[in-house]
Amino acid sequence: MLQATKGGGGNNKAKKELAEKMFVEDGLNAKEIASLVGISEQTLSKWRKGDGTGKTWDDKRNEYLAAPHKIKEVLMKELNNIASGSGATIDADALAKVSKVIETLSNRTSVQVIFSVFKEFDNWMADQEPQMAIAFLEWHKRFIQYRINQED
């Protein structure tokens, strides 16, 4: 575990980044982080809430915990528990189902990304084969409209 040097002001940006990592990824509580980083719990609370323009540290922690690699980690720990003779501690079947839904949603390409890729492709194709680019352009418009209708 990393520990910041206590006292003497220090580099607040570095302390804030370290504290955020400890909170989001390591799951430490405010008291532990404040002690390790050498800041007050009040400062940590302000940092944790953010400035209102982005995600809070709690939002980031929830996303981190729901990430597929973290779900896999939880399932592997559960597998080790069961293999060592301990009983199940979580509903692994439900967790696996939720993970599958997240994976399915993550694999879906947004209309904005499709539009961006088509635009780049159309510009490239216009330099290669202008007539073919015109034909592709019409199909790209149709596909984008189809995807927009699917999302509604």
Side-chain angles (χ1 to χ4, degrees):
M1 174 73 61
L2 294 172
Q3 184 167 348
T5 306
K6 289 190 177 189
N11 182 343
N12 260 0
K13 183 177 182 207
K15 287 182 177 185
K16 184 176 181 180
E17 289 173 1
L18 177 59
E20 182 176 4
K21 182 195 177 303
M22 290 174 159
F23 181 81
V24 173
E25 297 177 21
D26 299 333
L28 298 180
N29 66 40
K31 185 177 224 113
E32 293 170 315
I33 296 168
S35 174
L36 289 168
V37 177
I39 57 171
S40 70
E41 288 185 54
Q42 291 80 10
T43 297
L44 184 70
S45 179
K46 288 177 191 172
W47 290 350
R48 186 175 165 183
K49 291 176 186 170
D51 60 6
T53 61
K55 294 179 183 172
T56 66
W57 290 8
D58 291 286
D59 294 335
K60 291 177 182 180
R61 179 187 263 182
N62 289 336
E63 287 177 2
Y64 181 80
L65 293 173
H69 74 279
K70 289 301 290 181
I71 294 172
K72 183 178 178 182
E73 186 179 301
V74 169
L75 290 172
M76 290 304 293
K77 284 180 183 175
E78 183 69 359
L79 179 63
N80 287 332
N81 283 344
I82 294 169
S84 68
S86 301
T89 60
I90 61 170
D91 184 351
D93 186 49
L95 189 57
K97 288 176 183 176
V98 169
S99 178
K100 183 67 176 167
V101 170
I102 291 170
E103 182 181 323
T104 301
L105 292 173
S106 299
N107 290 335
R108 182 119 183 158
T109 307
S110 73
V111 173
Q112 293 86 351
V113 170
I114 293 169
F115 177 78
S116 178
V117 170
F118 278 171
K119 183 177 177 183
E120 184 177 344
F121 175 81
D122 291 339
N123 290 335
W124 175 81
M125 184 54 98
D127 291 337
Q128 310 306 309
E129 295 281 336
Q131 292 302 319
M132 186 70 77
I134 293 169
F136 276 124
L137 186 62
E138 180 58 34
W139 286 105
H140 291 167
K141 286 180 183 176
R142 289 182 187 183
F143 182 76
I144 289 169
Q145 189 59 52
Y146 163 78
R147 285 298 304 278
I148 289 170
N149 290 337
Q150 274 190 325
E151 289 183 5
D152 288 342

